[in-house]
Amino acid sequence: MTIDEIIDFMQDLDGVLAIRPGLDDGSPEISWGDTFFYYSPDGVAPKTTQPFATIVTKNYPGDERSRLDRPDTFRVNIAAGKEAFVDRTGHAPREPAIDDDPSVTDAVMAHPVYGSVGWLAVVNPGRRTDTATCELLRNAYHLARSRHERRTG
């Protein structure tokens, strides 16, 4: 899967807003080139809601072990929810994880920084994980949509 394929998949879901920070939009430089997905049926970036999925293209401070500085490397991060997290990792988000190598490609694993809050990650999703990545993204979308609907009545 490419970044553009993932973005296209996400934008086919009703109410998804994909934000791609860049040079002229006032966003922090570290976020340039990344993509943030929100459930926002009005198309306006939420001010009090976190994205339900992201695509990152570089190492962030404290997350260098993922080695996203390799050529053509990116990571899909997914707010999977507890049930999907347990299903994929075999343990609850707050339980200690097996010491996964977060730089492994085409594998679903606990997010190296946000796994304790139920986030999963896939570096360069490919043949082994493309279906799982899409299922997890769709599930995260449904969770975000449900939260939005509960908040807005």
Side-chain angles (χ1 to χ4, degrees):
M1 297 181 81
T2 67
I3 290 173
D4 288 334
E5 288 172 334
I6 295 166
I7 291 169
D8 289 346
F9 170 79
M10 296 298 285
Q11 290 184 319
D12 282 345
L13 300 171
D14 184 50
V16 169
L17 175 64
I19 297 178
R20 299 180 86 176
L23 177 65
D24 297 324
D25 63 11
S27 60
E29 184 175 351
I30 194 162
S31 67
W32 298 352
D34 296 341
T35 307
F36 302 84
F37 299 101
Y38 296 87
Y39 179 73
S40 179
D42 62 5
V44 176
K47 293 185 183 342
T48 59
T49 302
Q50 295 293 318
F52 67 86
T54 66
I55 300 171
V56 296
T57 58
K58 68 195 77 58
N59 292 329
Y60 275 70
D63 187 20
E64 294 81 8
R65 287 184 52 225
S66 294
R67 297 182 38 232
L68 299 177
D69 53 352
R70 294 173 285 173
D72 301 316
T73 302
F74 67 94
R75 185 179 64 218
V76 180
N77 305 307
I78 306 164
K82 184 178 180 181
E83 185 177 322
F85 186 93
V86 171
D87 183 51
R88 296 292 175 168
T89 67
H91 63 86
R94 297 202 187 277
E95 292 176 5
I98 299 170
D99 192 25
D100 289 332
D101 177 356
S103 70
V104 171
T105 61
D106 202 18
V108 177
M109 65 186 74
H111 187 283
V113 177
Y114 300 110
S116 64
V117 292
W119 281 70
L120 293 172
V122 184
V123 175
N124 288 11
R127 294 178 68 197
R128 289 184 303 169
T129 59
D130 59 353
T131 300
T133 300
C134 289
E135 288 173 5
L136 290 164
L137 287 167
R138 194 177 294 111
N139 183 60
Y141 159 79
H142 288 295
L143 292 172
R145 183 176 178 158
S146 294
R147 279 190 302 274
H148 178 271
E149 290 171 353
R150 280 193 307 273
R151 281 193 308 266
T152 60

